[in-house]
Amino acid sequence: MAKTSTTTQGLRAAIERSGYYPALVAEAVEAAVGGEPIRSYLVHQETTFDQNEVRRHVTVLVLTHNRFIVSHTDEQAADSTSPTPYATTSTESVKLGRISSVVVSRVVANPESYTPGTLPREIVLTIGWGAVARLDLEPAACGDPNCEADHGYTGSSTADDLSLRVSEAGDGPETVRQALTFAQSLSEATADIAR
């Protein structure tokens, strides 16, 4: 990456450490970030099993002063559309004012003896900005167990644009720590925008 700040160098090093097409991923992230200074970042490489294939993908989250940037790269095996394996990289840039929710779910072992500052066993970071929502509906009912009237439906809508699970066992404690730091930075940035 062209910029020389410590945060930018740290991001580049994290992308290279992931070992997942670092030149391709770094170029996509650099193009999306442009000339903005980076406030915080998270690089998460994940391996999944799809039938008989092992598939890898990497997600890079970047926070600048004005935007939240998501870059995702997947690899694909050769198929009827391509005789050779290929990768698909996409980036999305979201203005901070559009971020509607930042949810951090923490899983801790032995909660009865939890000490503040102890690293969670895993976290799930869910970020919503209105591009994708999940709608859960169920039939509505009244308090009368003998009522046969149609009361319509009740439900909830949940922003679910991005959900990322990071665990100490699978990703290591440093990645969990980095995910918590990124989540806190993003929460603070969206709070600053709201003021």
Side-chain angles (χ1 to χ4, degrees):
M1 297 185 155
K3 296 176 256 356
T4 59
S5 73
T6 304
T7 304
T8 301
Q9 290 171 353
L11 173 58
R12 176 62 166 218
I15 290 171
E16 289 175 2
R17 264 193 316 277
S18 80
Y20 187 81
Y21 308 121
L24 174 65
V25 173
E27 181 179 52
V29 171
E30 180 182 67
V33 170
E36 286 188 77
I38 296 170
R39 293 171 68 173
S40 187
Y41 63 87
L42 174 63
V43 177
H44 183 252
Q45 193 255 319
E46 185 176 9
T47 302
T48 57
F49 300 94
D50 183 17
Q51 295 177 359
N52 297 337
E53 296 178 10
V54 176
R55 299 199 41 197
R56 300 178 306 154
H57 55 98
V58 68
T59 303
V60 179
L61 309 179
V62 178
L63 175 64
T64 71
H65 291 286
N66 301 308
R67 299 179 298 146
F68 165 66
I69 298 164
V70 181
S71 177
H72 188 81
T73 304
D74 281 306
E75 65 183 356
Q76 309 290 328
D79 59 22
S80 62
T81 64
S82 176
T84 60
Y86 60 98
T88 303
T89 300
S90 62
T91 57
E92 182 172 2
S93 176
V94 180
K95 289 183 180 182
L96 285 179
R98 287 195 50 215
I99 304 288
S100 57
S101 66
V102 178
V103 180
V104 180
S105 300
R106 301 167 188 242
V107 177
V108 297
N110 304 312
E112 68 281 353
S113 60
Y114 176 78
T115 304
T118 301
L119 206 57
R121 187 170 65 195
E122 71 180 56
I123 71 161
V124 177
L125 173 59
T126 305
I127 303 166
W129 58 90
V132 178
R134 183 179 64 238
L135 187 61
D136 295 319
L137 293 175
E138 62 184 40
C142 67
D144 180 359
N146 297 318
C147 180
E148 295 181 12
D150 182 355
H151 295 286
Y153 288 87
T154 186
S156 63
S157 175
T158 308
D160 199 15
D161 294 303
L162 174 76
S163 190
L164 195 68
R165 179 183 170 270
V166 179
S167 72
E168 187 177 28
D171 304 297
E174 188 52 41
T175 304
V176 174
R177 191 172 289 108
Q178 183 70 32
L180 287 170
T181 299
F182 181 83
Q184 182 175 350
S185 296
L186 183 59
S187 290
E188 290 170 356
T190 57
D192 288 346
I193 295 293
R195 289 184 201 155

